């Protein structure tokens, strides 16, 4: 590959950019994973994760990617052959459903068009029809990373409750964690599944489960075969600050730094507001380019990424390849029915106004090279970002800093 000056723009919807501070926090000698430094780090991280997820239950951090945490959610709470209901929202909902089938569960997919989130009414209706409560869990992807569509978890919880159904509520927040509002306790999420490499601003390599009291009860009676991903030995040893295997200790130091940035310095509300603002700016650029979002319902716009449809006859992957080649920026490809028709812009994790401006400028130049989107979308985004009245940043304590209004 020829020499590239400056830094690569990693604008995938994850893995996302890892801030220098987090890299530095991990750039240290490996410590004893059974020593006192590690055992005091573990409870601090578990508490921080609870705060981030607005949860009161146990947190399990696995040395895995999000896919491992998907498997752990299923195998720790269910029994062989159980019936599961999964809302099709895109590639990731379908992959999770496929994994559940491979594990021997009986999975019913509520079909979706990949342009809408999980439909609370359809879920409620299906659960009401399940009078014998054969369905043991409902699986929903919060931010469907393949489409930039978000599912309305509070409404889905309300639909499950209105149906009077006891199914567990399993939710994938792989791309919504620390980018969009998520409330484990309030929304009655039983197992949250996530990963390190997106909103948490860490390298790939950590899978996450956050567990409700109900899920813990289900776990105790679950007879599904499991070993490495079994919550029980992990939760037992976590009680004294350890794990039953060699933990990715350096990643844990990175997590400590990332949680400090999100929870103590920027403040979670501001982190979420920043994502909302950058996502809105991106959508304004897309609208000005005359292109269409994959997401069709404004209530379901994901703030972690934007998926953009290209005009018929144009190959979205060719645009991505041009942008990589000419401007050294990686954008997300799309899968399944949107392969070649959609590109995805990641704007999650460690990103600010000027990084987004550069990202959108790269997209715009790539579009021009393919003779589409010739109107200035970047300017529409900049006008929004520089509007003094738009979502002024607040301090971590929630106050508007002096001079910003
Ligand atoms: C929504 C969602 N779920 C699950 C996964 C799978 O996670 P991983 O690639 O970390 O195994 C991804 C990956 O991008 C994702 O975006």
């Amino acid at each position: 590959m020829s020499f590239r000056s400056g830094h690569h723009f990693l604008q995938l919807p994850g893995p996302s950019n890892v801030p220098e501070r987090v890299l530095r926090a991990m750039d240290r000698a490996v410590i004893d994973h059974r020593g006192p430094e590690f055992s005091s780090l573990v409870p601090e991280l578990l508490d921080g994760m609870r705060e981030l997820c607005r949860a009161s239950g146990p947190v399990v951090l696995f040395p895995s990617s999000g896919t491992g945490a998907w498997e752990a959610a299923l195998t720790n709470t269910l029994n062989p052959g159980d019936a599961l209901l999964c809302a099709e929202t895109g590639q990731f909902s379908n992959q999770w459903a496929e994994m559940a089938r491979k594990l021997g569960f009986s999975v019913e997919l509520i079909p979706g068009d990949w342009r809408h989130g999980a439909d609370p009414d359809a879920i409620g209706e299906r659960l009401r029809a399940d009078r014998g409560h054969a369905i043991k869990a409902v699986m929903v992807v919060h931010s469907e990373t393949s489409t930039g569509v978000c599912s309305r978890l509070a409404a889905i919880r309300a639909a499950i409750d209105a149906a009077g159904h006891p199914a567990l509520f399993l939710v994938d927040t792989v791309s919504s964690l620390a980018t969009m509002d998520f409330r484990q306790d309030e929304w009655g999420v039983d197992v949250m599944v996530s990963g390190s490499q997106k909103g948490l601003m860490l390298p790939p390599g950590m899978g996450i489960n956050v567990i409700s009291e109900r899920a813990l009860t289900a776990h105790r009676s679950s007879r599904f075969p499991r070993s490495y991903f079994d919550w029980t030995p992990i939760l037992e040893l976590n009680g004294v600050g350890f794990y039953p295997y060699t933990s990715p200790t350096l990643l844990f130091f990175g997590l400590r730094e990332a949680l400090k940035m999100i929870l103590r310095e920027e403040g979670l509300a501001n982190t979420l507001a920043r994502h909302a603002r950058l996502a809105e700016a991106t959508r304004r650029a897309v609208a000005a380019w005359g292109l269409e979002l994959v997401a069709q319902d404004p209530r379901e716009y994901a703030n972690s990424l934007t998926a953009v449809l290209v005009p018929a006859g144009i190959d979205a992957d060719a645009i991505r390849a041009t942008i990589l080649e000419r401007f050294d920026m990686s954008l997300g490809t799309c899968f399944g029915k949107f392969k070649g028709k959609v590109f995805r812009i990641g704007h999650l994790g460690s990103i600010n106004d000027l990084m987004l401006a550069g990202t959108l400028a790269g997209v715009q130049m790539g579009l021009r090279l393919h003779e589409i989107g010739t109107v200035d979308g970047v300017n529409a985004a900049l006008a929004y970002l520089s509007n003094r009245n738009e979502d002024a940043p607040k301090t971590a304590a929630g106050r508007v800093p002096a001079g910003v209004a």
Side-chain angles (χ1 to χ4, degrees), residues 74-90:
L74 300 171
T75 59
N76 275 283
T77 54
L78 299 163
N79 284 295
D82 274 353
L84 315 180
L85 186 64
C86 179
E88 175 180 22
T89 46

Side-chain angles (χ1 to χ4, degrees), residues 137-217:
V138 174
M139 300 152 69
V140 172
V141 175
H142 186 200
S143 160
E144 175 52 78
T145 324
S146 62
T147 62
V149 177
C150 154
S151 285
R152 288 170 292 133
L153 299 181
I156 296 169
R157 175 76 257 170
I160 299 172
D161 290 346
H165 200 288
L168 294 172
F169 189 22
L170 313 182
V171 174
D172 170 327
T173 69
V174 172
S175 64
S176 60
L177 188 63
T179 73
M180 296 174 63
D181 195 18
F182 175 76
R183 302 161 190 234
Q184 171 112 1
D185 285 356
E186 189 180 325
W187 295 344
V189 173
D190 290 302
V191 187
M192 190 218 75
V193 173
S194 205
S196 54
Q197 75 274 23
K198 300 190 193 249
L200 272 180
M201 311 182 288
L202 295 170
M206 189 183 287
I208 303 158
N209 281 164
V210 183
I211 305 163
S212 76
E213 200 52 51
R214 287 181 72 228
L216 211 52
T217 305

